Coordinates of all heavy atoms in Angstrom, one line a residue:
M1 N 8.5 12.2 -4.2 CA 7.1 11.8 -3.9 C 7.0 11.6 -2.4 O 7.9 11.3 -1.7 CB 6.9 10.4 -4.6 CG 5.8 10.4 -5.7 SD 4.5 11.5 -5.4 CE 3.1 10.3 -5.4
T2 N 5.7 11.7 -1.9 CA 5.5 11.6 -0.5 C 5.0 10.3 -0.1 O 4.7 10.1 1.1 CB 4.4 12.7 -0.1 OG1 3.3 12.6 -0.9 CG2 4.9 14.1 -0.2
V3 N 4.9 9.4 -1.0 CA 4.2 8.1 -0.7 C 4.9 7.4 0.4 O 4.3 6.9 1.3 CB 4.2 7.2 -1.9 CG1 3.8 5.7 -1.6 CG2 3.2 7.8 -3.0
K4 N 6.2 7.4 0.4 CA 7.0 6.7 1.4 C 6.8 7.2 2.8 O 6.5 6.4 3.7 CB 8.5 6.8 1.1 CG 9.1 5.4 0.9 CD 10.6 5.5 0.7 CE 11.0 4.0 0.6 NZ 12.0 3.8 -0.4
V5 N 6.8 8.5 3.0 CA 6.6 9.1 4.3 C 5.2 8.8 4.8 O 5.0 8.3 5.9 CB 6.7 10.6 4.2 CG1 6.4 11.3 5.5 CG2 8.2 11.0 3.7
Y6 N 4.2 8.9 3.9 CA 2.9 8.6 4.2 C 2.7 7.2 4.7 O 2.0 7.0 5.7 CB 2.0 8.8 2.9 CG 0.6 8.3 3.0 CD1 -0.3 9.2 3.5 CD2 0.3 7.1 2.6 CE1 -1.6 8.8 3.6 CE2 -1.0 6.6 2.7 CZ -2.0 7.5 3.2 OH -3.3 7.1 3.3
Y7 N 3.3 6.2 4.0 CA 3.2 4.9 4.5 C 3.9 4.7 5.8 O 3.4 4.0 6.7 CB 3.6 3.9 3.5 CG 2.5 3.6 2.5 CD1 2.3 4.3 1.3 CD2 1.5 2.6 2.9 CE1 1.2 4.0 0.5 CE2 0.4 2.4 2.0 CZ 0.3 3.1 0.8 OH -0.8 2.8 0.1
A8 N 5.1 5.1 5.9 CA 5.9 5.0 7.2 C 5.1 5.4 8.4 O 5.1 4.8 9.4 CB 7.2 5.7 7.1
E9 N 4.4 6.5 8.2 CA 3.6 7.0 9.4 C 2.4 6.1 9.8 O 2.1 6.1 10.9 CB 2.9 8.4 9.0 CG 3.9 9.5 9.1 CD 3.3 10.8 8.5 OE1 2.2 10.8 8.0 OE2 4.1 11.8 8.4
K10 N 1.9 5.3 8.8 CA 0.8 4.6 9.1 C 1.0 3.2 9.5 O 0.2 2.4 9.8 CB -0.2 4.6 7.9 CG -0.7 5.9 7.6 CD -2.0 5.9 6.9 CE -2.6 7.3 6.9 NZ -4.0 7.2 6.4
L11 N 2.3 2.8 9.4 CA 2.6 1.4 9.6 C 2.5 0.9 11.0 O 2.5 -0.3 11.3 CB 3.9 1.0 9.0 CG 4.0 1.2 7.5 CD1 5.4 0.8 6.9 CD2 2.9 0.6 6.7
F12 N 2.3 1.8 11.9 CA 2.0 1.4 13.3 C 0.6 1.3 13.7 O 0.2 1.0 14.8 CB 2.8 2.3 14.3 CG 4.3 2.3 14.1 CD1 4.9 3.3 13.4 CD2 5.0 1.2 14.6 CE1 6.3 3.2 13.1 CE2 6.4 1.1 14.3 CZ 7.0 2.1 13.7
D13 N -0.2 1.6 12.7 CA -1.7 1.5 12.9 C -2.1 0.1 13.2 O -1.7 -0.8 12.4 CB -2.4 2.0 11.7 CG -3.9 2.2 12.0 OD1 -4.6 1.2 12.1 OD2 -4.3 3.4 12.0
P14 N -3.0 -0.2 14.2 CA -3.3 -1.6 14.5 C -4.0 -2.3 13.3 O -3.9 -3.5 13.2 CB -4.4 -1.5 15.6 CG -4.5 0.0 15.9 CD -3.5 0.7 15.2
R15 N -4.7 -1.5 12.5 CA -5.3 -2.1 11.3 C -4.3 -2.7 10.3 O -4.5 -3.7 9.7 CB -6.2 -1.1 10.6 CG -7.5 -0.8 11.3 CD -8.2 0.4 10.8 NE -7.4 1.6 11.1 CZ -7.8 2.8 10.9 NH1 -9.0 3.0 10.3 NH2 -7.1 3.9 11.2
W16 N -3.2 -2.0 10.2 CA -2.1 -2.5 9.4 C -1.4 -3.7 10.0 O -1.1 -4.7 9.3 CB -1.1 -1.4 9.1 CG 0.1 -1.9 8.3 CD1 1.4 -2.0 8.7 CD2 0.1 -2.5 7.1 NE1 2.2 -2.6 7.8 CE2 1.4 -2.9 6.8 CE3 -0.9 -2.8 6.1 CZ2 1.8 -3.5 5.5 CZ3 -0.5 -3.4 4.9 CH2 0.8 -3.8 4.6
I17 N -1.2 -3.6 11.3 CA -0.5 -4.7 12.0 C -1.3 -6.0 11.8 O -0.8 -7.0 11.6 CB -0.3 -4.3 13.5 CG1 0.7 -3.2 13.6 CG2 0.1 -5.5 14.3 CD1 0.8 -2.5 14.9
E18 N -2.6 -5.9 11.9 CA -3.5 -7.1 11.7 C -3.4 -7.6 10.3 O -3.2 -8.8 10.1 CB -5.0 -6.6 12.0 CG -5.5 -6.9 13.3 CD -5.2 -8.4 13.8 OE1 -5.7 -9.3 13.1 OE2 -4.4 -8.6 14.7
K19 N -3.6 -6.7 9.4 CA -3.5 -7.1 7.9 C -2.1 -7.7 7.6 O -2.1 -8.8 7.0 CB -3.7 -5.8 7.1 CG -3.6 -6.0 5.6 CD -5.0 -6.3 5.1 CE -5.1 -6.1 3.6 NZ -6.3 -6.7 3.1
R20 N -1.1 -7.1 8.1 CA 0.3 -7.6 7.9 C 0.4 -9.0 8.4 O 1.0 -9.9 7.7 CB 1.2 -6.6 8.6 CG 2.6 -6.9 8.3 CD 3.5 -5.9 9.0 NE 4.9 -6.3 8.9 CZ 5.5 -7.2 9.7 NH1 4.9 -7.8 10.6 NH2 6.7 -7.6 9.4
K21 N -0.1 -9.3 9.6 CA 0.0 -10.6 10.2 C -0.7 -11.6 9.3 O -0.2 -12.7 9.1 CB -0.7 -10.5 11.6 CG 0.1 -11.0 12.7 CD -0.7 -11.4 14.0 CE -1.2 -10.2 14.6 NZ -1.9 -10.4 15.9
R22 N -1.9 -11.2 8.8 CA -2.6 -12.1 8.0 C -1.9 -12.5 6.6 O -1.8 -13.6 6.2 CB -3.9 -11.5 7.6 CG -5.0 -12.5 7.2 CD -6.4 -12.0 7.6 NE -6.3 -10.5 7.5 CZ -7.2 -9.8 6.9 NH1 -8.2 -10.3 6.5 NH2 -7.0 -8.5 6.8
I23 N -1.3 -11.5 6.1 CA -0.5 -11.7 4.8 C 0.7 -12.6 5.1 O 1.0 -13.5 4.3 CB -0.1 -10.4 4.2 CG1 -1.3 -9.5 3.8 CG2 0.8 -10.6 2.9 CD1 -2.3 -10.1 2.8
L24 N 1.4 -12.3 6.1 CA 2.6 -13.1 6.5 C 2.2 -14.6 6.7 O 2.9 -15.5 6.2 CB 3.3 -12.6 7.8 CG 4.0 -11.3 7.7 CD1 4.4 -10.8 9.0 CD2 5.2 -11.4 6.8
H25 N 1.1 -14.8 7.4 CA 0.6 -16.1 7.6 C 0.2 -16.8 6.3 O 0.6 -17.9 6.0 CB -0.6 -16.0 8.6 CG -1.1 -17.4 8.9 ND1 -0.6 -18.2 9.8 CD2 -2.2 -18.0 8.4 CE1 -1.3 -19.3 9.9 NE2 -2.3 -19.2 9.1
R26 N -0.5 -16.1 5.4 CA -0.9 -16.6 4.2 C 0.3 -17.0 3.3 O 0.3 -18.1 2.6 CB -1.7 -15.6 3.4 CG -2.2 -16.0 2.0 CD -2.5 -14.9 1.1 NE -1.2 -14.2 0.7 CZ -1.3 -13.0 0.0 NH1 -2.4 -12.5 -0.4 NH2 -0.1 -12.4 -0.3
D27 N 1.4 -16.3 3.4 CA 2.6 -16.6 2.6 C 3.6 -17.5 3.4 O 4.8 -17.6 3.1 CB 3.3 -15.2 2.3 CG 2.4 -14.4 1.2 OD1 1.5 -15.0 0.7 OD2 2.7 -13.2 1.1
N28 N 3.1 -18.1 4.4 CA 4.0 -19.0 5.2 C 5.2 -18.3 5.8 O 6.2 -19.0 6.0 CB 4.4 -20.2 4.4 CG 3.2 -21.1 3.9 OD1 2.3 -21.3 4.7 ND2 3.2 -21.4 2.6
N29 N 5.1 -17.1 6.1 CA 6.3 -16.3 6.7 C 7.5 -16.5 5.8 O 8.6 -16.7 6.4 CB 6.5 -16.8 8.1 CG 5.3 -16.3 9.0 OD1 5.2 -15.1 9.3 ND2 4.5 -17.3 9.5
Q30 N 7.3 -16.5 4.5 CA 8.5 -16.7 3.6 C 8.5 -15.6 2.6 O 7.4 -15.1 2.1 CB 8.3 -17.9 2.8 CG 8.7 -19.2 3.5 CD 8.6 -20.4 2.6 OE1 7.9 -20.4 1.6 NE2 9.4 -21.4 2.9
C31 N 9.7 -15.2 2.2 CA 9.8 -14.2 1.1 C 9.2 -14.9 -0.2 O 9.6 -16.0 -0.5 CB 11.2 -13.8 0.9 SG 11.5 -12.8 -0.6
A32 N 8.4 -14.1 -0.9 CA 7.7 -14.7 -2.1 C 8.8 -14.8 -3.3 O 8.5 -15.5 -4.2 CB 6.6 -13.8 -2.6
I33 N 9.9 -14.2 -3.2 CA 10.9 -14.2 -4.3 C 11.9 -15.3 -4.0 O 12.2 -16.2 -4.7 CB 11.5 -12.8 -4.5 CG1 10.4 -11.9 -5.0 CG2 12.7 -12.9 -5.5 CD1 10.9 -10.4 -5.2
C34 N 12.6 -15.2 -2.8 CA 13.8 -16.1 -2.6 C 13.4 -17.1 -1.5 O 14.2 -18.0 -1.2 CB 14.9 -15.3 -2.1 SG 14.8 -14.6 -0.5
R35 N 12.2 -17.1 -0.9 CA 11.7 -18.1 0.0 C 12.4 -18.1 1.3 O 12.3 -19.0 2.1 CB 11.8 -19.5 -0.6 CG 11.0 -19.7 -1.9 CD 9.6 -19.8 -1.6 NE 8.8 -19.5 -2.8 CZ 7.5 -19.2 -2.8 NH1 6.9 -19.0 -1.7 NH2 6.9 -18.9 -3.9
K36 N 13.2 -17.0 1.6 CA 13.9 -16.9 2.8 C 12.8 -16.8 3.9 O 11.8 -16.0 3.7 CB 14.8 -15.7 2.8 CG 15.9 -15.8 3.9 CD 16.9 -14.7 3.7 CE 16.6 -13.6 4.6 NZ 17.7 -12.6 4.6
A37 N 13.0 -17.4 5.0 CA 12.0 -17.4 6.1 C 12.5 -16.7 7.3 O 11.7 -16.4 8.2 CB 11.5 -18.8 6.4
E38 N 13.8 -16.5 7.4 CA 14.3 -15.8 8.6 C 14.5 -14.4 8.4 O 14.6 -13.9 7.3 CB 15.5 -16.6 9.2 CG 16.8 -16.5 8.4 CD 16.8 -17.6 7.4 OE1 15.8 -18.3 7.1 OE2 17.9 -17.7 6.7
G39 N 14.8 -13.6 9.5 CA 15.1 -12.2 9.3 C 13.8 -11.4 9.3 O 12.8 -12.0 9.5
K40 N 14.0 -10.2 8.9 CA 12.8 -9.3 8.9 C 12.0 -9.4 7.6 O 12.6 -9.3 6.5 CB 13.4 -7.8 9.1 CG 12.3 -6.9 9.6 CD 13.0 -5.6 10.0 CE 11.9 -4.6 10.4 NZ 11.8 -3.4 9.6
L41 N 10.8 -9.7 7.7 CA 9.9 -9.8 6.5 C 9.1 -8.6 6.4 O 8.6 -8.0 7.4 CB 9.1 -11.1 6.6 CG 9.8 -12.4 6.5 CD1 8.9 -13.6 6.8 CD2 10.5 -12.6 5.2
H42 N 8.9 -8.1 5.2 CA 8.0 -7.0 5.0 C 6.8 -7.4 4.1 O 6.9 -8.3 3.4 CB 8.8 -6.0 4.1 CG 10.1 -5.4 4.7 ND1 10.7 -4.3 4.3 CD2 10.8 -5.9 5.8 CE1 11.7 -4.0 5.1 NE2 11.8 -5.0 6.0
V43 N 5.8 -6.7 4.3 CA 4.6 -6.9 3.4 C 4.6 -5.7 2.4 O 4.5 -4.5 2.8 CB 3.3 -7.0 4.2 CG1 2.1 -7.0 3.3 CG2 3.3 -8.3 5.0
H44 N 4.7 -6.1 1.2 CA 4.9 -5.1 0.1 C 3.6 -4.9 -0.7 O 2.8 -5.8 -0.9 CB 5.9 -5.6 -0.8 CG 6.0 -4.9 -2.1 ND1 6.5 -3.6 -2.3 CD2 5.8 -5.4 -3.4 CE1 6.4 -3.3 -3.5 NE2 6.0 -4.4 -4.2
H45 N 3.3 -3.6 -1.1 CA 2.1 -3.3 -1.9 C 2.6 -3.4 -3.4 O 3.5 -2.7 -3.7 CB 1.6 -1.9 -1.6 CG 0.9 -1.8 -0.3 ND1 1.7 -1.7 0.9 CD2 -0.4 -1.8 0.1 CE1 0.7 -1.6 1.9 NE2 -0.5 -1.6 1.5
K46 N 1.9 -4.1 -4.2 CA 2.2 -4.2 -5.6 C 1.7 -3.0 -6.4 O 2.2 -2.8 -7.5 CB 1.7 -5.5 -6.2 CG 2.2 -6.8 -5.6 CD 1.6 -8.0 -6.3 CE 1.8 -9.2 -5.5 NZ 1.1 -10.3 -6.2
Q47 N 0.7 -2.4 -5.8 CA 0.2 -1.1 -6.5 C -0.2 -0.2 -5.3 O -0.5 -0.6 -4.2 CB -1.1 -1.4 -7.2 CG -1.0 -2.2 -8.4 CD -2.4 -2.5 -9.0 OE1 -3.4 -2.0 -8.6 NE2 -2.4 -3.3 -10.1
Y48 N -0.2 1.1 -5.7 CA -0.7 2.1 -4.8 C -2.0 2.6 -5.4 O -2.0 2.9 -6.6 CB 0.3 3.2 -4.5 CG 1.5 2.8 -3.7 CD1 2.7 3.2 -4.1 CD2 1.3 2.1 -2.6 CE1 3.9 2.9 -3.4 CE2 2.5 1.7 -1.8 CZ 3.7 2.1 -2.3 OH 4.8 1.8 -1.5
H49 N -3.0 2.8 -4.7 CA -4.2 3.3 -5.2 C -4.5 4.7 -4.6 O -4.3 5.0 -3.5 CB -5.4 2.4 -4.8 CG -5.3 1.1 -5.5 ND1 -6.3 0.1 -5.3 CD2 -4.5 0.6 -6.5 CE1 -6.0 -1.0 -6.1 NE2 -4.9 -0.7 -6.8
V50 N -4.9 5.6 -5.6 CA -5.3 6.9 -5.1 C -6.8 7.1 -5.6 O -7.2 6.9 -6.7 CB -4.5 8.0 -5.8 CG1 -4.9 9.4 -5.5 CG2 -3.0 7.8 -5.5
I51 N -7.6 7.6 -4.6 CA -9.0 7.8 -4.8 C -9.1 9.2 -5.5 O -8.7 10.3 -5.0 CB -9.8 7.8 -3.6 CG1 -9.7 6.5 -2.8 CG2 -11.3 8.1 -3.9 CD1 -10.1 6.5 -1.4
K52 N -9.4 9.2 -6.8 CA -9.4 10.4 -7.6 C -10.2 11.5 -7.0 O -9.7 12.6 -6.9 CB -9.8 10.0 -9.1 CG -8.9 10.5 -10.1 CD -9.5 10.4 -11.5 CE -10.0 9.1 -11.8 NZ -10.4 8.8 -13.2
R53 N -11.4 11.1 -6.7 CA -12.3 12.1 -6.2 C -11.8 12.9 -5.0 O -12.0 14.0 -4.8 CB -13.6 11.4 -5.9 CG -14.8 12.3 -5.6 CD -16.1 11.5 -5.7 NE -16.0 10.3 -4.8 CZ -16.2 10.3 -3.5 NH1 -16.7 11.4 -2.9 NH2 -16.1 9.2 -2.8
L54 N -11.2 12.1 -4.1 CA -10.7 12.7 -2.8 C -9.2 13.1 -2.9 O -8.7 13.7 -1.9 CB -10.9 11.7 -1.7 CG -12.3 11.2 -1.5 CD1 -12.3 10.1 -0.5 CD2 -13.3 12.3 -1.1
Q55 N -8.5 12.7 -4.0 CA -7.1 13.0 -4.1 C -6.4 12.4 -2.8 O -5.6 13.1 -2.2 CB -6.8 14.5 -4.2 CG -7.2 15.1 -5.5 CD -6.3 14.6 -6.7 OE1 -5.1 14.7 -6.6 NE2 -6.9 13.9 -7.7
K56 N -6.7 11.2 -2.5 CA -6.3 10.6 -1.3 C -5.8 9.2 -1.5 O -6.4 8.5 -2.3 CB -7.4 10.7 -0.3 CG -7.1 10.1 1.1 CD -8.4 10.3 1.9 CE -8.4 9.5 3.2 NZ -8.4 8.0 3.0
H57 N -4.7 8.8 -0.9 CA -4.2 7.5 -1.0 C -5.2 6.5 -0.2 O -5.6 6.9 0.9 CB -2.8 7.3 -0.5 CG -1.8 7.8 -1.4 ND1 -1.2 6.9 -2.3 CD2 -1.3 9.0 -1.7 CE1 -0.3 7.6 -3.0 NE2 -0.3 8.8 -2.7
V58 N -5.3 5.4 -0.7 CA -6.0 4.3 0.0 C -5.2 3.9 1.2 O -4.0 3.8 1.1 CB -6.3 3.1 -0.9 CG1 -6.9 1.9 -0.2 CG2 -7.3 3.6 -2.0
D59 N -5.8 3.7 2.4 CA -5.0 3.3 3.5 C -4.4 1.9 3.3 O -5.0 1.1 2.6 CB -5.9 3.3 4.8 CG -6.2 4.7 5.3 OD1 -5.2 5.5 5.2 OD2 -7.3 4.9 5.7
P60 N -3.2 1.7 3.8 CA -2.4 0.5 3.5 C -3.1 -0.8 3.8 O -3.0 -1.8 3.1 CB -1.2 0.6 4.3 CG -1.2 1.9 4.9 CD -2.4 2.6 4.6
W61 N -4.0 -0.7 4.8 CA -4.8 -1.9 5.2 C -6.0 -2.1 4.4 O -6.7 -3.1 4.5 CB -5.1 -1.9 6.7 CG -5.8 -0.6 7.1 CD1 -7.1 -0.3 7.0 CD2 -5.1 0.5 7.5 NE1 -7.3 1.0 7.4 CE2 -6.1 1.5 7.7 CE3 -3.8 0.9 7.8 CZ2 -5.8 2.8 8.2 CZ3 -3.5 2.1 8.3 CH2 -4.5 3.1 8.5
D62 N -6.4 -1.2 3.5 CA -7.6 -1.3 2.7 C -7.4 -1.9 1.3 O -8.2 -1.8 0.5 CB -8.2 0.1 2.6 CG -9.1 0.4 3.8 OD1 -9.5 -0.5 4.5 OD2 -9.4 1.6 4.0
Y63 N -6.2 -2.5 1.1 CA -5.9 -3.1 -0.2 C -6.4 -4.6 -0.1 O -6.4 -5.2 0.8 CB -4.5 -3.1 -0.5 CG -4.0 -1.8 -0.9 CD1 -3.7 -0.8 0.0 CD2 -3.8 -1.4 -2.3 CE1 -3.3 0.5 -0.3 CE2 -3.4 -0.2 -2.6 CZ -3.1 0.8 -1.7 OH -2.7 2.0 -2.0
N64 N -6.8 -5.0 -1.3 CA -7.1 -6.5 -1.5 C -5.9 -7.3 -1.2 O -4.8 -6.9 -1.6 CB -7.6 -6.7 -2.9 CG -8.2 -8.1 -3.1 OD1 -7.5 -9.1 -3.0 ND2 -9.5 -8.1 -3.2
D65 N -6.1 -8.4 -0.5 CA -4.9 -9.3 -0.1 C -4.1 -9.7 -1.4 O -2.9 -9.9 -1.3 CB -5.4 -10.5 0.5 CG -5.9 -10.3 1.9 OD1 -5.8 -9.1 2.4 OD2 -6.3 -11.3 2.6
S66 N -4.7 -9.8 -2.5 CA -3.9 -10.1 -3.8 C -2.9 -9.1 -4.2 O -2.0 -9.4 -5.0 CB -4.9 -10.4 -4.9 OG -5.6 -9.3 -5.3
L67 N -3.1 -7.9 -3.7 CA -2.1 -6.8 -4.0 C -1.0 -6.7 -3.0 O -0.1 -5.9 -3.2 CB -2.8 -5.5 -4.1 CG -3.9 -5.4 -5.3 CD1 -4.5 -4.0 -5.2 CD2 -3.1 -5.5 -6.6
L68 N -1.0 -7.6 -2.0 CA 0.1 -7.6 -1.0 C 0.9 -8.9 -1.1 O 0.3 -9.9 -1.3 CB -0.6 -7.4 0.4 CG -1.4 -6.2 0.6 CD1 -2.2 -6.2 1.9 CD2 -0.5 -4.9 0.6
T69 N 2.1 -8.7 -0.8 CA 3.0 -9.9 -0.9 C 4.1 -9.8 0.2 O 4.5 -8.7 0.5 CB 3.6 -10.1 -2.3 OG1 4.2 -11.3 -2.4 CG2 4.5 -8.9 -2.7
T70 N 4.5 -10.9 0.6 CA 5.6 -10.9 1.7 C 7.0 -11.0 1.0 O 7.2 -11.8 0.2 CB 5.4 -12.2 2.6 OG1 4.2 -12.1 3.1 CG2 6.5 -12.3 3.6
L71 N 7.8 -10.1 1.4 CA 9.2 -10.1 0.9 C 10.2 -9.9 2.1 O 9.9 -9.3 3.0 CB 9.4 -8.9 -0.1 CG 8.6 -8.8 -1.3 CD1 8.9 -7.5 -2.1 CD2 8.9 -10.0 -2.2
C72 N 11.4 -10.5 1.9 CA 12.4 -10.3 2.8 C 13.0 -8.8 2.6 O 12.8 -8.2 1.6 CB 13.6 -11.3 2.7 SG 14.6 -11.1 1.3
E73 N 13.8 -8.4 3.5 CA 14.3 -7.0 3.5 C 15.1 -6.7 2.1 O 14.9 -5.7 1.5 CB 15.1 -6.7 4.7 CG 15.3 -5.2 4.9 CD 15.7 -4.9 6.3 OE1 16.2 -5.7 7.0 OE2 15.5 -3.7 6.7
S74 N 16.0 -7.7 1.8 CA 16.8 -7.5 0.6 C 16.1 -7.5 -0.7 O 16.3 -6.7 -1.6 CB 18.0 -8.4 0.6 OG 17.7 -9.7 0.6
C75 N 15.1 -8.5 -0.8 CA 14.3 -8.5 -2.1 C 13.4 -7.3 -2.1 O 13.2 -6.7 -3.2 CB 13.4 -9.7 -2.1 SG 14.3 -11.3 -2.4
H76 N 12.9 -6.8 -1.0 CA 12.1 -5.7 -0.9 C 12.8 -4.4 -1.4 O 12.4 -3.7 -2.2 CB 11.5 -5.4 0.5 CG 10.4 -4.5 0.6 ND1 10.0 -3.8 1.7 CD2 9.4 -4.1 -0.4 CE1 9.0 -3.1 1.4 NE2 8.6 -3.2 0.2
N77 N 14.0 -4.2 -0.8 CA 14.8 -3.1 -1.2 C 15.2 -3.1 -2.6 O 15.1 -2.1 -3.3 CB 16.0 -3.0 -0.3 CG 15.7 -2.6 1.1 OD1 14.6 -2.1 1.4 ND2 16.6 -2.9 2.0
R78 N 15.6 -4.3 -3.1 CA 16.0 -4.4 -4.5 C 14.8 -4.1 -5.4 O 14.9 -3.4 -6.4 CB 16.5 -5.9 -4.7 CG 17.4 -6.0 -5.9 CD 18.0 -7.3 -6.1 NE 18.4 -7.9 -4.8 CZ 18.1 -9.1 -4.3 NH1 17.4 -9.9 -5.0 NH2 18.6 -9.6 -3.2
G79 N 13.6 -4.6 -5.0 CA 12.4 -4.4 -5.9 C 12.1 -2.9 -6.0 O 11.8 -2.3 -7.1
H80 N 12.2 -2.2 -4.9 CA 11.9 -0.8 -4.9 C 12.9 0.1 -5.6 O 12.6 1.1 -6.2 CB 11.7 -0.2 -3.4 CG 10.3 -0.5 -2.9 ND1 9.3 0.5 -3.1 CD2 9.8 -1.4 -2.2 CE1 8.2 0.0 -2.5 NE2 8.4 -1.1 -2.0
Y81 N 14.1 -0.4 -5.6 CA 15.2 0.3 -6.3 C 15.0 0.1 -7.7 O 15.2 1.1 -8.5 CB 16.5 -0.4 -5.8 CG 17.7 0.3 -6.4 CD1 18.2 1.5 -6.1 CD2 18.4 -0.5 -7.4 CE1 19.3 2.1 -6.6 CE2 19.6 0.1 -8.0 CZ 20.0 1.4 -7.6 OH 21.1 1.9 -8.2
R82 N 14.6 -1.0 -8.2 CA 14.5 -1.3 -9.7 C 13.2 -0.9 -10.3 O 13.2 -0.5 -11.4 CB 14.6 -2.8 -9.8 CG 16.0 -3.4 -9.7 CD 16.1 -4.7 -10.4 NE 17.3 -5.3 -10.1 CZ 17.6 -6.6 -10.1 NH1 16.6 -7.4 -10.4 NH2 18.7 -7.1 -9.7
Y83 N 12.1 -1.0 -9.6 CA 10.8 -0.7 -10.2 C 10.1 0.4 -9.4 O 10.1 0.3 -8.1 CB 9.9 -1.9 -10.2 CG 10.7 -3.2 -10.7 CD1 11.1 -4.1 -9.8 CD2 10.8 -3.4 -12.1 CE1 11.7 -5.2 -10.3 CE2 11.5 -4.5 -12.5 CZ 11.9 -5.5 -11.7 OH 12.6 -6.6 -12.1
A84 N 9.4 1.3 -10.1 CA 8.5 2.1 -9.5 C 7.2 1.4 -9.2 O 6.8 0.6 -10.1 CB 8.3 3.3 -10.3
I85 N 6.5 1.6 -8.1 CA 5.3 1.0 -7.9 C 4.2 1.7 -8.7 O 4.1 2.9 -8.7 CB 4.9 1.1 -6.3 CG1 6.0 0.7 -5.4 CG2 3.5 0.4 -6.0 CD1 6.4 -0.7 -5.5
P86 N 3.4 0.9 -9.5 CA 2.4 1.5 -10.3 C 1.3 2.2 -9.4 O 0.9 1.6 -8.4 CB 1.8 0.4 -11.1 CG 2.4 -0.9 -10.6 CD 3.5 -0.6 -9.6
V87 N 0.9 3.3 -9.7 CA -0.1 4.0 -9.1 C -1.4 4.0 -9.9 O -1.4 4.4 -11.0 CB 0.3 5.5 -8.7 CG1 -0.9 6.2 -8.0 CG2 1.5 5.6 -7.9
K88 N -2.4 3.5 -9.2 CA -3.7 3.4 -10.0 C -4.7 4.4 -9.4 O -4.8 4.5 -8.2 CB -4.2 1.9 -9.8 CG -5.1 1.5 -10.9 CD -5.4 0.0 -10.7 CE -6.8 -0.3 -11.0 NZ -7.2 -1.6 -10.6
Y89 N -5.4 5.2 -10.3 CA -6.3 6.1 -9.8 C -7.7 5.4 -9.9 O -8.1 4.9 -10.9 CB -6.3 7.3 -10.6 CG -5.0 8.2 -10.4 CD1 -3.9 7.8 -11.0 CD2 -5.0 9.1 -9.4 CE1 -2.7 8.5 -10.8 CE2 -3.9 9.8 -9.1 CZ -2.7 9.5 -9.8 OH -1.5 10.2 -9.5
I90 N -8.4 5.4 -8.7 CA -9.6 4.7 -8.7 C -10.8 5.6 -8.4 O -10.6 6.8 -8.0 CB -9.6 3.5 -7.7 CG1 -9.3 4.0 -6.3 CG2 -8.6 2.4 -8.1 CD1 -9.4 3.0 -5.2
Ligands
LIG101 ZN1 13.8 -12.5 -0.5
LIG102 ZN1 7.3 -2.3 -0.9

């Protein structure tokens, strides 16, 4: 799947940097699973959305805040290893 590459390319976009900052702040700069507050924190998408009509992924910053969550690096990696992210066609 190309989802990973696609997101990696966009993560330096200022719109994502802003969104990410907001989510980290909302989550008190803590991992939502283990509550770790130090180290590198990631903002994780609980779903990926694809716009059916355009066959295009929604940009990472265009998700509702409720679909984003703060995770530490190890919880994030473990989560991606165990579960596939549900893709929703909208
Ligand atoms: Zn964690
Ligand atoms: Zn993730």
Side-chain angles (χ1 to χ4, degrees):
M1 246 327 241
T2 54
V3 169
K4 238 185 178 139
V5 175
Y6 170 86
Y7 274 94
E9 281 171 2
K10 293 210 169 186
L11 297 185
F12 297 103
D13 190 292
R15 287 166 291 185
W16 173 245
I17 291 168
E18 264 309 300
K19 180 88 164 169
R20 184 180 175 277
K21 231 196 293 183
R22 203 148 32 132
I23 300 297
L24 289 172
H25 181 77
R26 181 200 67 186
D27 292 345
N28 299 314
N29 293 290
Q30 280 186 334
C31 173
I33 296 174
C34 71
R35 302 285 161 200
K36 201 171 98 171
E38 69 273 11
K40 200 164 174 246
L41 293 169
H42 296 198
V43 172
H44 165 69
H45 289 76
K46 297 183 197 171
Q47 287 179 5
Y48 292 134
H49 291 177
V50 175
I51 303 163
K52 228 190 311 191
R53 191 168 48 88
L54 305 173
Q55 288 293 305
K56 181 181 166 291
H57 281 267
V58 170
D59 283 321
W61 49 87
D62 276 341
Y63 286 79
N64 192 290
D65 288 359
S66 64
L67 293 175
L68 298 170
T69 188
T70 301
L71 297 177
C72 72
E73 195 159 24
S74 57
C75 289
H76 194 206
N77 289 341
R78 205 175 312 131
H80 275 272
Y81 179 74
R82 284 200 191 152
Y83 311 101
I85 309 298
V87 178
K88 206 172 136 188
Y89 291 84
I90 58 173

